[in-house]
Amino acid sequence: MTTLTLTPGAVSLTDLERIFREDCAVRLDASCRPAIEEAHARIAAAAAGDAAVYGVNTGFGKLASVKIAAEDTATLQRNLILSHCCGVGPAIPRAHARLMMALKLLSLGRGASGVRLEVIDLLEAMLAKGVTPVIPAQGSVGASGDLAPLSHMAAVMMGEAEAEFGGEVMTGGAALAVAGLTPIELGPKEGLALINGTQFSTAFGLAGLFGAWAGAQSALVTSALTTDAIMGSTAPLQPEIHSLRGHRGQIEAGVAMRALLEGSVIRESHREGDTRVQDPYCIRCQPQVVGAAMDVLRQAATTLEIEANAATDNPLVLVGADLIVSGGNFHAEPVGFAADMIALAIAEIGAIAQRRIALIVDPVLSHDLPPFLTPNPGLNSGYMIAEVTTAALMSENKHLANPCVTDSTPTSANQEDHVSMAAHGARRLGQMITNLERILGVELLCATQGVEFRDPLPTSLPLQQVMAKLRAAVPPLGDDRYAAPDIEAASALITSGEIAKCSGVNMPELSA
């Protein structure tokens, strides 16, 4: 297992995607340890003193006015974690849980949380050894932090709750023991530091971001293939059009699509004598639509990268000011906004792709392709219902794209009277991405079949490589056959990113 050494406050999206996709272990750079120790010393002093400090020697939330005796501080933290383990629903995927743990490490590593180094060491060891807490998917409203899901993580560190190790689910204590690790007794504020924060929401937001960006790249490929299949024009890809508008995403989308279609004999065959003046918007405006989605995704990426590097628990230890201060960094409003932005981008990438599918199966619009792309229409239905399936997925994504961050409700006896709903706002992105990948998978099937009907005129070399990749998994559609496996196989090529990679064309990157 690869180990990434990360500096809190300076971690990139590339690092975060590696953690998510490659099952990496994570270790904090040693340079952050003195600040962690200094903040802990301030918390230890506060715990030994008489002044009330929230979360150190007081109750929590609405019970913050209740003073806790020094001898009860360990019990206070233990009770906090166990009582907050109220998550419900299916367990989240392992990759998301590990990313959440890594994000918590980064937050604690900023040296403002007051935990001991032993807490850091245990989280690092759990990632390295493969002890993954079982985290129920539901229960967080995205303020005061992702309390319920993070409590299930913290409980495993105490030897409680459940964890996965070696492919088996067992008690947290058993998982730690098998991995050769020892549960920790939480000290003053440590339970609060572990569960106050936005790491669950941010992990799902980042996963959604990575999936959406991969979908945008694949959509550039499938749209270019559809453009050639319906003998569309490349004139709208003229670079001056896009530079005159100036949006980065649009410019980059146009560059990629020009490269994908460069050298197509199909395109050259209808430059003269084509009576069509303009293509429908789903062909002509792909750079404007997917390019805009890429710009929105980059805005969300900026927010999530900042959040991944942030200290988001409460209270925070401000060593330079010699203060321990209650604030509101646990409120996941930035993550909620980012999740809503990503959802909009996913929905729009899928919406315009679905219109291209509708176009290519329609003989009135597809420039003489057979109805539903079957060589024997009537006896065979071809891709008729595959298009209907994409319409259902597109509509589902439109509904899922409605904002979550606007849906606040008061909780905790009105102490937490405005919340972000970032957790499920980010979590829904997974289903939306799956829907998008299947829409693009169907477009890949239809566009490849359409280009093959243009034989003997070949498409461009990059798109020939894309078609060959698909045909290695799915044969051409002659007579009707059981269709579902073809859709799943094509969608898997979208999910894996192979369609964008095999074209050989440089795709726009998420990072600057």
Side-chain angles (χ1 to χ4, degrees):
M1 179 184 286
T2 303
T3 299
L4 290 181
T5 300
L6 303 178
T7 301
V11 176
S12 69
L13 289 172
T14 301
D15 292 329
L16 296 166
E17 187 165 11
R18 282 193 66 190
I19 295 167
F20 178 63
R21 297 198 185 279
E22 299 180 16
D23 207 30
C24 297
V26 173
R27 180 169 53 235
L28 298 186
D29 190 89
S31 63
C32 73
R33 293 175 83 87
I36 294 171
E37 290 183 298
E38 179 64 24
H40 169 64
R42 303 299 174 96
I43 291 295
D50 295 325
V53 179
Y54 176 70
V56 177
N57 52 17
T58 73
F60 306 102
K62 197 73 171 181
L63 303 175
S65 60
V66 179
K67 185 76 161 55
I68 305 300
E71 62 270 19
D72 290 329
T73 54
T75 302
L76 175 71
Q77 299 299 314
R78 179 178 178 81
N79 288 348
L80 171 72
I81 300 305
L82 297 179
S83 68
H84 283 50
C85 284
C86 293
V88 298
I92 68 173
R94 183 173 184 271
H96 293 68
R98 287 178 59 84
L99 180 56
M100 182 186 80
M101 295 166 69
L103 291 171
K104 177 53 72 176
L105 264 176
L106 292 172
S107 181
L108 298 178
R110 291 299 300 271
S113 298
V115 302
R116 291 167 296 159
L117 290 175
E118 288 91 330
V119 175
I120 304 293
D121 294 340
L122 181 55
L123 269 173
E124 290 179 345
M126 288 168 65
L127 285 166
K129 299 276 190 177
V131 176
T132 307
V134 174
I135 310 294
Q138 296 167 286
S140 174
V141 295
S144 159
D146 294 316
L147 295 172
L150 287 169
S151 291
H152 285 269
M153 178 198 75
V156 172
M157 299 173 70
M158 295 162 43
E160 303 286 348
E162 290 185 321
E164 179 270 328
F165 180 78
E168 295 185 24
V169 174
M170 58 193 77
T171 67
L176 292 175
V178 174
L181 302 175
T182 303
I184 194 169
E185 181 178 75
L186 298 176
K189 192 188 173 286
E190 289 179 337
L192 194 58
L194 287 168
I195 70 172
N196 251 193
T198 66
Q199 287 74 40
F200 176 93
S201 299
T202 304
F204 274 88
L206 286 166
L209 173 69
F210 301 145
W213 191 264
Q217 290 181 324
S218 294
L220 294 176
V221 177
T222 58
S223 64
L225 198 58
T226 299
T227 298
D228 231 18
I230 61 103
M231 289 189 159
S233 175
T234 55
L237 301 179
Q238 191 71 19
E240 292 86 350
I241 293 175
H242 307 297
S243 62
L244 278 168
R245 198 173 198 187
H247 293 296
R248 176 185 173 188
Q250 178 180 329
I251 292 168
E252 292 178 344
V255 168
M257 291 186 69
R258 284 196 304 277
L260 286 161
L261 286 158
E262 181 68 31
S264 168
V265 177
I266 295 174
R267 171 64 187 116
E268 297 305 317
S269 72
H270 62 95
R271 283 190 184 274
E272 303 294 334
D274 194 331
T275 58
R276 297 171 297 172
V277 177
Q278 293 180 328
D279 292 316
Y281 288 178
C282 66
I283 299 295
R284 194 181 354 146
C285 299
Q286 172 73 344
Q288 286 81 358
V289 174
V290 171
M294 288 161 52
D295 286 339
V296 167
L297 290 174
R298 284 188 173 120
Q299 292 173 43
T302 297
T303 296
L304 292 175
E305 186 175 47
I306 292 170
E307 190 73 7
N309 283 284
T312 58
D313 69 278
N314 181 62
L316 291 173
V317 183
L318 311 180
V319 173
D322 195 24
L323 294 171
I324 300 173
V325 182
S326 288
N329 281 6
F330 51 72
H331 200 299
E333 194 82 355
V335 182
F337 276 123
D340 283 348
M341 292 164 67
I342 295 168
L344 290 170
I346 294 170
E348 282 297 274
I349 294 167
I352 195 169
Q354 200 284 326
R355 298 318 303 153
R356 290 192 298 270
I357 297 167
L359 180 149
I360 198 173
V361 301
D362 185 345
V364 175
L365 300 173
S366 66
H367 201 56
D368 301 324
L369 291 174
F372 305 107
L373 302 169
T374 175
N376 189 9
L379 181 62
N380 294 290
S381 296
Y383 287 111
M384 178 189 294
I385 303 305
E387 184 270 328
V388 174
T389 295
T390 65
L393 297 173
M394 173 189 69
S395 185
E396 183 176 322
N397 271 4
K398 288 179 180 178
H399 285 278
L400 289 171
N402 281 296
C404 293
V405 78
T406 55
D407 186 26
S408 179
T409 189
T411 63
S412 192
N414 280 305
Q415 177 73 6
E416 298 153 12
D417 58 354
H418 182 278
V419 298
S420 72
M421 299 301 180
H424 67 262
R427 190 164 47 81
R428 69 177 154 162
L429 300 177
Q431 183 60 56
M432 294 187 71
I433 290 164
T434 298
N435 292 346
L436 174 61
E437 290 165 348
R438 287 173 174 157
I439 292 170
L440 296 177
V442 172
E443 184 179 17
L444 177 62
L445 289 169
C446 291
T448 297
Q449 184 95 347
V451 168
E452 288 169 345
F453 277 118
R454 303 299 182 188
D455 188 67
L457 300 176
T459 187
S460 66
L461 181 58
L463 293 179
Q464 288 180 48
Q465 293 171 169
V466 170
M467 293 171 63
K469 176 66 73 171
L470 175 67
R471 287 296 176 237
V474 181
L477 182 64
D479 290 334
D480 285 347
R481 60 174 180 257
Y482 183 46
D486 292 358
I487 295 174
E488 290 307 308
S491 301
L493 292 173
I494 300 294
T495 302
S496 69
E498 285 301 309
I499 288 304
K501 291 175 188 173
C502 75
S503 72
V505 170
N506 291 328
M507 289 289 152
E509 296 293 336
L510 179 58
S511 300

